[in-house]
Amino acid sequence: KERKSRRRGSTLLLLLKMGNEVSRQVQNLRDRRNRNGCNFPGYDYHVQDRKNWMSTLASERLHVNQIVWPGTHNSATEYVGDPIITRPCGRCQRLSIYQQLVIGVRVFDIRVQKDRLVCHDILNGYNVDVVINDVKTFLLETHTEIIILEISREFGQQDPSDFDRYLEAELGEFLIHQDDNVFNKTIAELLPKRIICIWKPRNSPELRQGGQLWSSCYLKGDWTNTDLPETKFESNMQHLSNQRPVTSQIKQGGEHSDSTDKYSKPVVWYTGVEQLNLQIQPFARLFIMECISRGYGDRLQIFSSDFIEEDFVDACIGLTNARIEGQL
């Protein structure tokens, strides 16, 4: 009993220290925001129609590598696990894929297990068909919006059988084929194709070059395993500093093949527990401002969030518009 009591006391002390450190780091970020502001090129831009925001930015002028793509982490997790016991720890989004598309999200991180259920770690939800149907519904309702679907087998799971064929059969009419030159093209030049679909199996053979699906080397993210907001903020900034400018990441003719030269994904605010995410999310605009002030504004490409909100999307669209207008 005495040993158990000591262990409980030690655990409570660690939790208290963690809570104090989170509070300290949140206050540090608040102080930075109050001191430096969040005014970056395009910060005050507000699109009227988020559902069709790419068309509002003139698709004939908007190049793929100019876009700051608003994305979501663990995108299809609004119903994973048990609603009372496990969902609060495994859910990373409140909105369905369709609802996310309507508010302007254009990059999705979908995890699947062997039976094609979407999942987060050991928690699963609905069949991936729900995701595919949401995407197709949205594409039929719009005309110029391009989507990046990153679909991966969750760690510790087996690949779904013939999943590449499933994706090609379901999305074939919309798929933009794997081609390095895509990143130098305008949205108008890609149409009527609408989806860059990256399939990341763990055991299945590598996808062939030039096929309908894109291989894992075209999209990589840097994970910082911490729930400390300022630590995560600075770690993501460091990852970003190691990237190349967006206009040089994909060379004409695909002369570079190393994954660091492909389309990289700096991702921010990864927590997965809603309480902690709410501590971090208010500083997304601060992150963009500091990217620019530190000279990394031309490196931000995909900006992803847990529990996505419209203001986050607006910030990405505003910075994209500033790039088109030559303000960066």
Side-chain angles (χ1 to χ4, degrees), residues 222-239:
D222 296 302
W223 167 258
T224 303
N225 189 21
T226 178
D227 292 322
L228 297 174
E230 190 176 29
T231 302
K232 191 178 292 289
F233 187 103
E234 288 301 330
S235 177
N236 277 286
M237 192 69 70
Q238 181 60 45
H239 289 313

Side-chain angles (χ1 to χ4, degrees), residues 15-178:
L15 289 172
L16 181 61
K17 286 181 177 178
M18 172 63 80
N20 289 340
E21 181 60 14
V22 168
S23 297
R24 187 188 70 81
Q25 292 200 11
V26 167
Q27 188 58 51
N28 286 347
L29 290 172
R30 283 198 194 108
D31 291 344
R32 285 159 69 169
R33 185 178 59 191
N34 293 338
R35 185 169 59 248
N36 302 320
C38 297
N39 293 359
F40 52 83
Y43 80 97
D44 55 351
Y45 185 87
H46 294 287
V47 66
Q48 297 300 311
D49 182 6
R50 292 187 188 88
K51 186 175 180 179
N52 294 283
W53 68 261
M54 288 185 175
S55 64
T56 69
L57 297 184
S59 58
E60 70 280 357
R61 289 198 299 142
L62 178 57
H63 287 78
V64 172
N65 59 18
Q66 290 178 304
I67 299 170
V68 181
W69 297 78
T72 50
H73 169 235
N74 269 315
S75 306
T77 56
E78 74 274 28
Y79 291 127
V80 296
D82 178 90
I84 303 300
I85 301 171
T86 56
R87 187 173 300 164
C89 296
R91 181 174 65 170
C92 295
Q93 305 298 332
R94 303 182 198 92
L95 304 178
S96 70
I97 297 300
Y98 178 79
Q99 289 169 327
Q100 292 174 45
L101 283 160
V102 168
I103 69 165
V105 176
R106 294 295 177 265
V107 180
F108 297 91
D109 163 27
I110 309 296
R111 318 286 179 87
V112 294
Q113 57 189 38
K114 183 179 179 181
D115 56 7
R116 297 187 181 176
L117 297 181
V118 298
C119 57
H120 179 194
D121 201 359
I122 62 172
L123 304 179
N124 58 49
Y126 42 69
N127 193 286
V128 74
D129 286 345
V130 175
V131 173
I132 300 302
N133 290 335
D134 275 4
V135 167
K136 290 197 289 189
T137 297
F138 175 80
L139 292 178
L140 291 172
E141 293 175 354
T142 58
H143 302 289
T144 59
E145 305 304 296
I146 304 295
I147 298 168
I148 297 177
L149 271 183
E150 178 191 15
I151 306 180
S152 58
R153 188 204 71 178
E154 184 64 291
F155 182 77
Q157 300 282 348
Q158 294 182 9
D159 296 339
S161 177
D162 294 325
F163 198 66
D164 53 344
R165 295 180 186 175
Y166 163 80
L167 292 172
E168 290 172 356
E170 290 292 327
L171 301 173
E173 64 179 302
F174 299 110
L175 292 174
I176 299 166
H177 288 208
Q178 183 183 142

